Amino acid sequence: MTMEEMKNEADTSSRVSMALYTVMYPVFTQLEQVDLSAAQTLRAAFIKAEKENPGLTQDIVMKILEKKNLKIDYNESLLRMAADNVEEFMIDRREPEFQELNERARALKHILSTIPDEINDRVGFLQTIKDIASAIKELLDVLNTVFRKYQHQNRRALEQQKKEFVKYSKSFSDTLKTFFKDGKVINVFVSANRLTHQTNMILQAFKTVEYKP
């Protein structure tokens, strides 16, 4: 497999994972109010199936949309839902640095989710871009603080996750530069979804950080 194929596979994996936790997790949560046992069983089944067959959840969602003859932009819809909190990614520690990490991640995802509403308004979109850049910097500042004060036996993996976040942040910036030349909105949506996914992966990685005496 070439490097380009590996990159494309990783990008596809990001969107696949988002289909599971952005689209289906809220459904499971609502079902829990009706039948907790059934909801838990269904959630576990989807997680297992997605792990064994990456892309299955997205295929199911797309088939439902097709069957209902709903004409929507999948990537745009995914991005609009980006601001929704996913319990599995929320850090439940009380230390202020971790609570701040939750808040900074939530703020970034919220701003990213407004892109579909702002992208056709040049002035408004330019302000959104500035807000995204500030949110990314604030999130990285909190990450650096956590690295200084806390540690984990898999510190290298945490640092790698941070590098991935930075990489996709830069990729998003490059996509924006290209957008102002070619006007292809879909590429911005896809890139923003990847950045959203990496933000969630940051939260997931730091849920297990241990305190450094």
Side-chain angles (χ1 to χ4, degrees):
M1 180 180 291
T2 66
M3 288 299 293
E4 183 63 26
E5 288 173 335
M6 290 175 66
K7 178 179 182 296
N8 290 336
E9 182 176 286
D11 290 341
T12 300
S13 179
S14 293
R15 298 195 297 280
V16 164
S17 298
M18 285 188 71
L20 176 60
Y21 66 73
T22 302
V23 180
M24 296 307 301
Y25 277 14
V27 175
F28 301 147
T29 299
Q30 290 185 11
L31 181 59
E32 287 176 357
Q33 309 303 316
V34 180
D35 190 328
L36 179 60
S37 178
Q40 292 175 335
T41 299
L42 192 59
R43 180 190 292 261
F46 260 87
I47 292 174
K48 183 176 185 293
E50 182 68 29
K51 183 177 181 179
E52 296 177 352
N53 302 278
L56 178 63
T57 306
Q58 180 170 297
D59 289 344
I60 291 174
V61 172
M62 297 303 290
K63 284 295 183 181
I64 292 175
L65 295 176
E66 181 181 332
K67 186 175 180 62
K68 295 295 183 179
N69 198 30
L70 297 175
K71 305 298 183 181
I72 67 172
D73 186 314
Y74 177 74
N75 286 289
E76 177 183 344
S77 298
L78 208 60
L79 186 55
R80 287 182 181 278
M81 294 186 287
D84 296 341
N85 289 327
V86 179
E87 184 178 348
E88 283 77 2
F89 299 140
M90 299 301 295
I91 301 175
D92 56 5
R93 297 182 57 148
R94 295 181 179 180
E95 293 90 339
E97 293 82 8
F98 289 100
Q99 289 304 309
E100 183 69 11
L101 185 55
N102 274 332
E103 289 301 318
R104 292 306 99 209
R106 183 184 297 115
L108 174 56
K109 290 188 292 181
H110 172 72
I111 299 171
L112 288 169
S113 74
T114 67
I115 288 178
D117 292 326
E118 301 290 347
I119 199 166
N120 292 317
D121 175 5
R122 186 177 180 84
V123 175
F125 189 45
L126 288 174
Q127 182 58 52
T128 298
I129 292 173
K130 292 179 182 179
D131 292 341
I132 291 172
S134 295
I136 290 173
K137 181 181 182 302
E138 290 171 358
L139 179 55
L140 286 172
D141 286 344
V142 177
L143 281 177
N144 290 332
T145 298
V146 171
F147 269 118
R148 286 196 302 270
K149 295 190 64 175
Y150 302 86
Q151 66 178 0
H152 186 269
Q153 60 181 359
N154 292 326
R155 182 181 180 87
R156 183 174 298 178
L158 295 177
E159 291 176 340
Q160 181 59 40
Q161 188 60 60
K162 177 186 173 183
K163 289 180 181 178
E164 286 293 300
F165 175 78
V166 171
K167 181 182 76 173
Y168 280 90
S169 295
K170 292 180 178 177
S171 176
F172 177 69
S173 178
D174 291 340
T175 299
L176 291 174
K177 293 175 183 177
T178 302
F179 165 72
F180 285 113
K181 296 177 182 178
D182 63 20
K184 294 183 179 179
V185 174
I186 183 62
N187 293 337
V188 177
F189 292 164
V190 170
S191 187
N193 279 326
R194 293 170 183 163
L195 183 53
T196 296
H197 179 66
Q198 290 303 317
T199 303
N200 283 326
M201 293 301 96
I202 284 286
L203 292 176
Q204 186 179 63
F206 278 82
K207 283 173 70 74
T208 56
V209 175
E210 298 173 351
Y211 181 67
K212 179 179 180 180

